[in-house]
Amino acid sequence: MTDPRRPEPLLPRLPSLLAYPAGGQMLAFLAALSLLRLLANLPNVLGLLFEAAFWVMGFKLAVEALTNTAHGRYEPLQGEDVLATDGDAIEQLLLMLVVYLPIVVVAAWVGPVPALVMLGLAVLFMPAAIMLLAINHSHANALNPLAWFELIGRLGGAYVSAVAVFTALGVLSALVQALFAATLPYGMGVLPGSFVALYSLVASYHLLGDLLHRHHRELGLDITPAVARSVHANPIEDETMAQADALAQQGQPAAAAERLAGLFRGRGASDAVHDRYRELLIAAGDLPALAAHDREYASSLLVTGKDKRALAVVADTRARVSGFELALPEHIARLVAQAARTGQSQLAVALAEGFEQRFPDSPDLPQVVLTAVTLQSERLGQDEPARKRLQALLDRHPGHALAGEARTLLAALDRVRATASGSRGG
């Protein structure tokens, strides 16, 4: 019978471990950082700064992979902010420099044989140093041979297996980068080479995090799950949304909505909170509160460029609340244009209704009226109302830049009316 406390062997899980950097939005991060590294070709200090930024961000992703995996979070990054800090990344970078820079110096000034011996030792003990540094944040501890041997003794054969994969990833990455550099012209090998370097780095650190997680009993590690990432904009929103959902499940949608309303009175809330608040107000039947909220919500959506979502909110609220309108003419003009672009002719005309009376001095008035009358005549068969509205527009704004377009449309409508009158007379 299999002992459930015994960690699973590495080999069967290796494919999923190596696929870790390809999950979530990690690939997009790696691609973006690889593009960033192209800027390292800039001259002088500027290029060095971009090279440093590339490696700091790369090691931040790697430390993130190690830390979260060690705590049992095997899902890759999904677009949240990276929790690992610049300090975590710089710690690992310094460790690499302290270990590998002396090897380069020995190779250059002493000879290849001593350098190869040092490299062999580094290959064997570097994974232990990386894990110790990630756990204790102490270079003294990470570079302490006694700490290495204690860690390796507790992990046993699992450490040897991890070292083999860790080393293979490093060697393969170096070979592929060299291949790209040799075969791609004009230095373009740096782009795919950087991607491969980052992929292998993140996969290697994920592997070490898995090693820590699966052997936490032997190591005496606390694997309490890492700090949970917020589902919404921040932990306060998560907590408040959970409280509101609990009240809603108890049949108290009004109380649930009031709980969410507290977020709006502070620094604001994310769109998900606003949408849930609308649902709760609708469930509670509080249409006045819905209208008051949606006037501000739709405006804030427009301010942030979310015209499509703002139009959907306004259309839904107009269907529920008679006479619902936004307050600012420029916002109404944006919604009219959005509705027209998306083929919602009736909604566009309805939104533009009464615009001349409400906002006679608005600079958006000619465009709003022209959009509305075009839809009225071409899509809705409302030629006569469109003609009267055009005439009123030209009477008020005869010299506007859109007056020529309005006169052309008015002439076309006049011809249609004349043709229709002639047909009736005949």
Side-chain angles (χ1 to χ4, degrees):
M1 183 175 179
T2 303
D3 185 351
R5 296 172 298 176
R6 184 178 181 181
E8 300 175 40
L10 175 62
L11 190 59
R13 295 180 291 103
L14 192 56
S16 63
L17 292 174
L18 296 181
Y20 174 87
Q25 294 188 3
M26 188 70 80
L27 280 179
F29 273 99
L30 302 186
L33 285 177
S34 300
L35 287 171
L36 173 69
R37 199 183 187 191
L38 292 177
L39 298 176
N41 293 319
L42 292 173
N44 302 323
V45 178
L46 196 57
L48 292 175
L49 289 176
F50 279 110
E51 180 74 7
F54 168 80
W55 285 113
V56 168
M57 283 303 301
F59 272 96
K60 283 178 72 171
L61 292 177
V63 174
E64 182 89 354
L66 188 155
T67 303
N68 280 284
T69 308
H71 287 283
R73 186 177 186 270
Y74 278 71
E75 300 81 8
L77 209 63
Q78 296 291 340
E80 310 95 329
D81 291 334
V82 179
L83 295 184
T85 66
D86 290 348
D88 295 326
I90 292 172
E91 280 181 353
Q92 295 289 334
L93 278 168
L94 287 176
L95 177 65
M96 298 294 167
L97 289 174
V98 168
V99 172
Y100 289 112
L101 189 58
I103 297 175
V104 174
V105 172
V106 168
W109 292 93
V110 180
V113 174
L116 286 174
V117 173
M118 293 175 64
L119 181 61
L121 293 173
V123 165
L124 180 60
F125 295 113
M126 178 58 81
I130 291 171
M131 289 186 284
L132 289 168
L133 183 59
I135 295 169
N136 299 316
H137 299 283
S138 167
H139 284 96
N141 182 248
L143 295 171
N144 183 353
L146 294 178
W148 300 341
F149 290 122
E150 181 181 359
L151 179 68
I152 295 170
R154 292 186 180 186
L155 292 174
Y159 181 81
V160 177
S161 299
V163 167
V165 176
F166 188 91
T167 305
L169 282 172
V171 171
L172 184 60
S173 172
L175 291 175
V176 172
Q177 290 178 69
L179 179 63
F180 282 135
T183 56
L184 293 180
Y186 308 114
M188 290 306 296
V190 70
L191 183 59
S194 298
F195 184 87
V196 170
L198 289 175
Y199 192 102
S200 64
L201 178 65
V202 173
S204 298
Y205 273 59
H206 175 60
L207 172 76
L208 298 183
D210 173 77
L211 184 65
L212 292 174
H213 178 71
R214 299 203 177 258
H215 295 268
H216 65 276
R217 292 188 182 89
E218 296 93 322
L219 299 173
L221 293 178
D222 178 10
I223 60 165
T224 303
V227 176
R229 301 178 189 276
S230 300
V231 176
H232 301 97
N234 52 63
I236 296 175
E237 281 197 5
D238 285 354
E239 181 181 357
T240 308
M241 285 281 274
Q243 294 170 353
D245 287 341
L247 289 170
Q249 290 173 3
Q250 297 169 12
Q252 304 178 56
E258 180 59 28
R259 185 62 56 89
L260 292 184
L263 293 174
F264 308 144
R265 302 185 189 112
R267 60 181 179 179
S270 65
D271 291 348
V273 175
H274 283 280
D275 292 339
R276 181 57 175 151
Y277 181 67
R278 295 186 73 252
E279 293 173 359
L280 293 169
L281 290 178
I282 292 168
D286 193 347
L287 297 183
L290 178 69
H293 167 266
D294 286 355
R295 285 190 186 92
E296 294 187 9
Y297 180 34
S299 294
S300 68
L301 288 170
L302 289 165
V303 167
T304 54
K306 300 174 183 176
D307 294 31
K308 184 177 180 180
R309 178 58 188 154
L311 181 62
V313 169
V314 169
D316 181 74
T317 309
R318 284 176 62 90
R320 300 177 188 277
V321 182
S322 177
F324 175 78
E325 300 283 357
L326 295 188
L328 298 178
E330 58 268 28
H331 289 171
I332 296 173
R334 291 254 303 267
L335 292 181
V336 170
Q338 176 68 24
R341 281 195 301 270
T342 54
Q344 301 178 71
S345 302
Q346 289 185 336
L347 178 57
V349 171
L351 290 169
E353 184 177 354
F355 193 92
E356 301 95 312
Q357 290 73 39
R358 292 183 67 197
F359 312 107
D361 299 322
S362 170
D364 296 306
L365 188 150
Q367 183 62 70
V368 169
V369 172
L370 191 58
T371 300
V373 298
T374 301
L375 295 174
Q376 285 180 285
S377 62
E378 295 180 358
R379 304 287 178 85
L380 305 179
Q382 301 173 2
D383 290 345
E384 189 57 26
R387 196 191 69 80
K388 292 179 178 178
R389 202 168 181 181
L390 269 177
Q391 187 61 65
L393 174 65
L394 287 169
D395 290 343
R396 184 174 180 86
H397 300 280
H400 194 274
L402 296 174
E405 186 177 345
R407 289 191 182 94
T408 300
L409 181 55
L410 180 60
L413 292 175
D414 285 341
R415 288 194 296 272
V416 170
R417 186 172 67 163
T419 301
S421 298
S423 299
R424 286 195 297 271

